[in-house]
Amino acid sequence: MRQDIVAGAKFPDYVLPDHTKTPRRLSDLQGDQLMIVMLTRGFFCPKDRQQMLELVRFHPQLVVGYTQLVTIITDDWHTTNNYRQQTSAPWPFLCDEERLVQKDLDIKEYTDTTHDVMIPHTIVLGRDLEVFKVHNGYYYWGRPSTAELHAELRELARRTYRDWDITEPELREKWKKGDKSDFYPYGGNSISMETLMLQMAGAVDQYAGPAKRS
């Protein structure tokens, strides 16, 4: 992985076509939520498939935990859709047949002389694509378990949301006075409840829309 992709850095805001061939910008898919990015070898890899199945089971918790998930894959559009459908994954898959991410992040798996794939990585992002944790999944045990992701997202959410502990007297007093600025998503600096519901429903076309390439 490129040496500057470390905790506190901003992850590149890639624009890639999704499984419907619609171009999507990573930051648009994230909105104001937390995010997990799965960089995968693809359909042929049993390790990737097993991790995908674990994430499918974990995904309902990500939805209620205000956390987006996206997979970036180097397979073609048809294979990508087969992979997504056969694993019942409901989140966006971004197709990178041109290996733009692989080249930009310097993660070509040079030990695979057949498929020209990325070294698998699982990346946990805070708001604004801020890197929180990078997991190298070349070996399967390098990939985070759902228990590890839960713990990392708990810590990240605790740092993100001022109203993490709404029993604090200061927060009680602010709410009582009608000051909702520290409460998500009720404050004027938060997204609307309608947008939050669209994000939680996975209604990408409504809350993210197609991206213009830059």
Side-chain angles (χ1 to χ4, degrees), residues 29-93:
L29 293 173
Q30 180 182 32
D32 74 344
Q33 298 194 355
L34 310 181
M35 177 175 262
I36 296 172
V37 176
M38 181 186 180
L39 307 178
T40 176
R41 287 189 180 103
F43 186 81
F44 76 95
C45 178
K47 302 179 185 69
D48 283 18
R49 182 176 291 272
Q50 184 59 49
Q51 183 184 19
M52 194 73 68
L53 293 173
E54 294 299 316
L55 288 172
V56 167
R57 286 187 279 268
F58 189 50
H59 187 254
Q61 296 183 59
L62 298 178
V63 172
V64 297
Y66 308 146
T67 303
Q68 296 290 341
L69 177 57
V70 64
T71 293
I72 300 179
I73 188 169
T74 54
D75 286 333
D76 61 66
W77 176 73
H78 186 265
T79 305
T80 295
N81 268 287
N82 283 343
Y83 190 18
R84 185 173 181 270
Q85 291 164 9
Q86 290 177 21
T87 56
S88 298
W91 59 83
F93 278 44

Side-chain angles (χ1 to χ4, degrees), residues 106-174:
D106 192 20
I107 53 173
K108 178 181 174 66
E109 189 170 315
Y110 59 85
T111 55
D112 184 334
T113 58
T114 303
H115 299 99
D116 189 20
V117 294
M118 299 184 284
I119 300 170
H121 284 78
T122 305
I123 303 161
V124 180
L125 301 175
R127 284 177 168 171
D128 300 318
L129 302 178
E130 182 178 342
V131 176
F132 181 74
K133 190 67 178 288
V134 177
H135 297 272
N136 183 325
Y138 180 67
Y139 282 95
Y140 184 77
W141 296 124
R143 306 171 191 222
S145 67
T146 56
E148 289 174 304
L149 288 174
H150 190 136
E152 290 168 8
L153 291 167
R154 175 193 292 130
E155 175 59 23
L156 186 52
R158 186 188 64 79
R159 297 183 187 184
T160 300
Y161 299 111
R162 174 66 184 88
D163 59 342
W164 177 258
D165 181 2
I166 64 168
T167 66
E168 290 184 13
E170 180 184 350
L171 286 172
R172 287 180 184 269
E173 189 62 25
K174 281 189 172 184

Side-chain angles (χ1 to χ4, degrees), residues 186-197:
Y186 306 104
N189 58 349
S190 299
I191 61 170
S192 68
M193 182 62 74
E194 180 180 0
T195 300
L196 177 63
M197 293 297 102

Side-chain angles (χ1 to χ4, degrees), residues 7-21:
K10 183 169 182 176
F11 194 71
D13 195 8
Y14 296 115
V15 176
L16 295 166
D18 71 0
H19 55 277
T20 69
K21 295 187 177 180

